[in-house]
Amino acid sequence: MKDRKFPLRVLVLCAVVALALGLSSWGFLVHRTLHQVAVYQLPNEIQPFFWRHMDYLVNNAARPDVRRNSDSTEATKHFIDLEAYGPDAAHKMPLDWNKAQAKYQRDSLLKYGYVPYHIVLMMDQLTGAFRQQKADSILFYAADLGHYIGDANVPLHTTLNYDGQLTNQKGLHSLWESFIPEIEIETYQLNSGHQARYLRNPAKQVWQQIRAAHALVPSMLALETKVSAGFTDAEKYRVQVRRGVETKQYTLAFAKAYAAALKPSINQQLLASANLIADCWYTAWVNAGKPALNLQGWTTEKAAVWEKEKSAYQKNTLIQEGLLLAKKPSENKPTE
Ligand SMILES: [Zn+2]
């Protein structure tokens, strides 16, 4: 009977909602956190510039996800379905975009995702912006680059089974990258001790991290099955009907149990993302010839606040001290 009350139109809407929620990348909270954490890892030559613009970097950390709503070419920049490129593609795909196009055809790359190549393109853009010393462009590309790097470190962004949909585990995507970080972030270590380092071959490092993320997929799936065995459907899911649309969400109890089983892999991927973002920002600046960055208006007062924040970051007390921007309500929305 219930089914009859849900015409096709409503079911389609459900699918659209699931698509919008389920296939985003790291939730906004994590994307924003990554950018803030990456800033603290930069060397003193460039950290004040990035720190001064941290609001912009944090507020626009999720902008590429928003852009997907208006740009049909955007989505496949955020992932790579490795299985679609043949066995052991993670080790066999060329580092270079032109060689990849020659090997797989451009259409396939546009269909199954090409995040590692897009990261390299964004790095080139950032390097160019540094060369021209254009603050607006530097910040724009730094924000976008950071986003794609974050996505590349999410295991489900590297597989055809991107939402657990091929293994009857649909919904896993947003559970792993949004719901769990949102309820667990206060327990996370946000300071890995990493300091930005120069990457001689950024593409190589990007691929290394994509392989590491992809290697986590089997255990993510297996642990979900294992944890699910201890839950009934009613304990695992919360079904809500809003304006005639039925949505099914994981319960807090299930999310916590799954998080406990996964620990600390989400935190580790968060840190791996932030580390690579800092490395890529720094590398782009070095490759641009280490241009001086505009620090007009930098005062001793600002430097004192900066030092205080850095110390909170070192002690991993950003959240407790109310300094994690991603946890603050923001008036600024992504600009696209
Ligand atoms: Zn994304």
Side-chain angles (χ1 to χ4, degrees):
M1 284 300 288
K2 241 183 184 175
D3 287 345
R4 287 187 196 167
K5 289 180 186 166
F6 286 91
L8 185 62
R9 183 169 53 83
V10 175
L11 291 174
V12 168
L13 186 58
C14 284
V16 170
V17 170
L19 205 69
L21 296 173
L23 306 188
S24 78
S25 41
W26 279 118
F28 279 25
L29 173 70
V30 176
H31 271 301
R32 288 176 171 158
T33 299
L34 295 179
H35 282 186
Q36 180 165 357
V37 167
V39 169
Y40 302 124
Q41 299 181 359
L42 297 171
N44 279 348
E45 300 134 287
I46 58 171
Q47 194 180 117
F49 172 83
F50 278 80
W51 181 77
R52 280 188 66 189
H53 298 286
M54 203 151 73
D55 274 350
Y56 173 92
L57 292 166
V58 168
N59 288 331
N60 288 288
R63 179 177 54 202
D65 280 342
V66 178
R67 193 183 296 137
R68 294 190 309 187
N69 298 329
S70 57
D71 181 349
S72 61
T73 68
E74 181 64 36
T76 58
K77 296 171 183 167
H78 298 242
F79 61 83
I80 183 159
D81 290 341
L82 285 170
E83 301 90 341
Y85 296 106
D88 204 19
H91 290 93
K92 290 182 179 163
M93 290 187 82
L95 300 183
D96 178 73
W97 172 240
N98 290 325
K99 287 183 184 156
Q101 286 189 90
K103 188 170 178 182
Y104 297 99
Q105 307 302 320
R106 187 181 168 83
D107 285 354
S108 293
L109 289 154
L110 297 185
K111 181 174 177 189
Y112 294 111
Y114 59 102
V115 64
Y117 303 105
H118 194 63
I119 288 171
V120 172
L121 174 67
M122 287 294 101
M123 262 197 89
D124 290 346
Q125 302 279 15
L126 178 60
T127 307
F130 273 127
R131 266 197 203 105
Q132 294 170 8
Q133 298 188 42
K134 284 188 176 167
D136 287 357
S137 300
I138 293 168
L139 295 167
F140 181 89
Y141 288 116
D144 274 20
L145 171 62
H147 179 94
Y148 298 114
I149 292 172
D151 282 357
N153 285 278
V154 174
L156 292 180
H157 277 247
T158 67
T159 176
L160 277 170
N161 191 17
Y162 51 82
D163 197 23
Q165 82 282 9
L166 301 179
T167 44
N168 199 25
Q169 293 169 295
K170 196 161 168 42
L172 205 55
H173 198 113
S174 63
L175 174 66
W176 193 95
E177 65 174 25
S178 295
F179 192 13
I180 292 177
E182 276 160 22
I183 58 177
E184 295 275 304
I185 196 164
E186 288 176 22
T187 69
Y188 286 175
Q189 175 60 255
L190 297 181
N191 172 14
S192 62
H194 181 79
Q195 293 188 324
R197 63 195 173 106
Y198 180 75
L199 300 175
R200 209 164 288 282
N201 188 339
K204 215 168 162 183
Q205 182 62 29
V206 169
W207 273 98
Q208 197 173 313
Q209 295 198 198
I210 283 179
R211 284 194 283 273
H214 190 64
L216 292 172
V217 173
S219 65
M220 279 180 66
L221 300 173
L223 285 170
E224 198 272 347
T225 304
K226 193 176 166 194
V227 174
S228 295
F231 285 76
T232 63
D233 251 21
E235 290 165 343
K236 184 176 174 182
Y237 297 109
R238 196 159 47 93
V239 178
Q240 284 184 317
V241 180
R242 272 194 210 144
R243 294 191 203 117
V245 178
E246 187 174 291
T247 58
K248 202 168 156 187
Q249 288 169 343
Y250 295 102
T251 57
L252 186 61
F254 180 77
K256 285 195 165 179
Y258 184 45
L262 283 170
K263 251 175 189 171
S265 64
I266 298 180
N267 192 169
Q268 283 169 347
Q269 289 311 102
L270 183 156
L271 292 173
S273 305
N275 297 350
L276 185 56
I277 291 168
D279 291 348
C280 288
W281 285 348
Y282 174 60
T283 299
W285 174 71
V286 172
N287 288 344
K290 299 187 175 181
L293 300 175
N294 185 354
L295 276 179
Q296 214 178 1
W298 184 249
T299 59
T300 48
E301 285 82 9
K302 285 199 171 90
V305 179
W306 173 45
E307 289 297 340
K308 185 173 171 280
E309 265 190 42
K310 275 205 291 190
S311 145
Y313 165 70
Q314 298 293 347
K315 291 181 289 180
N316 195 40
T317 56
L318 283 172
I319 296 177
Q320 290 79 350
E321 295 188 43
L323 294 170
L324 188 71
L325 296 178
K327 294 282 277 181
K328 292 184 180 177
S330 168
E331 289 167 17
N332 300 319
K333 295 271 185 311
T335 54
E336 279 183 8

